[in-house]
């Protein structure tokens, strides 16, 4: 991907390059380790704010002309320094929100929390839809619509959309023609990462991925990391519902 999208002057609309960076928010203050999902009141931690600042610094010299975020606080707080760095108003798009999940407000993990309660097992019958939350295809539809709108707002330049891990990963999987059901531990969408879609005209021609705040992300939250349990897990941040 080029360092900057070319300016649109004198370029046919169908040939214009536009880049939409879809950013996952920074770390959230979540000492109880609940799956917060769409619940209000979950803000960035101090570390999460450092991640947001790092992303803003990373994008400071980019040709950003539009910044939009999910309505949830953690996304707004991640997007705000990016918008400020470019002198832009921060827009809100509900289509960028976290995926709905029946386990919101509960602890959720293999061998502990909600999975140990038989009343919850009925929600785990179909991992392909999935049965416990918003269907993957519905996430694709709203996320594609949201980034297409951002593309139109920044035509010939670059846009930033701040969203959440699962919708971003499902969007990328769809664009790259992978199956939508997957192992959550293997999502390449770490905290404060950028999944960047380059459009030529109205068509996505490439997808890029970068982690400008990787050195700030706790090791156990990186893609493919094994969950930490017991005493070793105490005091470590969690990203449930991220």
């Amino acid at each position: 991907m080029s360092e900057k999208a070319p300016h649109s002057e004198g370029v046919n609309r169908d040939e214009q390059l536009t880049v939409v960076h879809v950013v996952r928010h920074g770390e959230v203050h979540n000492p109880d380790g609940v799956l917060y999902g769409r619940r209000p009141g979950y803000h960035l931690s101090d570390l999460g704010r450092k991640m947001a600042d790092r992303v803003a610094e990373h994008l400071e010299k980019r040709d950003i002309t539009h910044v939009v975020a999910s309505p949830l606080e953690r996304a707004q707080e991640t997007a705000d320094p990016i918008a400020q760095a470019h002198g832009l108003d921060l827009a809100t798009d509900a289509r960028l929100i976290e995926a709905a999940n029946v386990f919101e407000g509960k602890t959720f993990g293999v061998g502990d929390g909600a999975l140990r309660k038989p009343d919850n097992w009925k929600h785990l019958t179909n991992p392909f839809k999935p049965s416990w939350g918003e269907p993957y295809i519905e996430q694709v539809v709203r996320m594609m619509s949201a980034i297409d709108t951002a593309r139109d707002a920044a035509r010939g330049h670059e846009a930033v959309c701040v969203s959440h891990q699962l919708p971003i990963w499902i969007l990328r999987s769809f664009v790259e023609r992978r199956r939508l059901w997957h192992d959550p531990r293997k999502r390449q969408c770490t905290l404060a990462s950028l999944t960047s879609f380059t459009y030529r005209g109205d068509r996505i021609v490439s997808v890029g991925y970068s982690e400008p705040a990787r050195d700030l992300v706790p090791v156990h939250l990186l893609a493919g990391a094994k969950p930490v349990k017991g005493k070793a897990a105490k005091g470590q941040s969690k990203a449930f519902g991220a």
Side-chain angles (χ1 to χ4, degrees), residues 119-187:
D119 288 346
N120 291 327
W121 295 350
K122 63 180 179 290
H123 299 300
L124 304 174
T125 57
N126 185 357
F128 307 105
K129 186 177 179 180
S131 53
W132 55 82
E134 181 183 12
Y136 292 138
I137 192 61
E138 292 182 11
Q139 295 178 53
V140 168
V141 170
R142 64 176 172 86
M143 290 293 289
M144 282 297 305
S145 179
I147 68 168
D148 282 351
T149 297
R151 172 207 63 204
D152 290 342
R155 181 79 64 170
H157 303 276
E158 302 184 42
V160 172
C161 299
V162 181
S163 187
H164 308 267
Q165 186 191 55
L166 178 56
I168 296 171
W169 182 246
I170 291 301
L171 171 66
R172 179 178 172 184
S173 296
F174 174 79
V175 171
E176 295 183 331
R177 299 183 179 182
R178 288 193 302 273
R179 67 189 186 202
L180 301 184
W181 60 273
H182 60 281
D183 182 344
R185 298 168 298 179
K186 296 182 180 180
R187 296 172 188 158

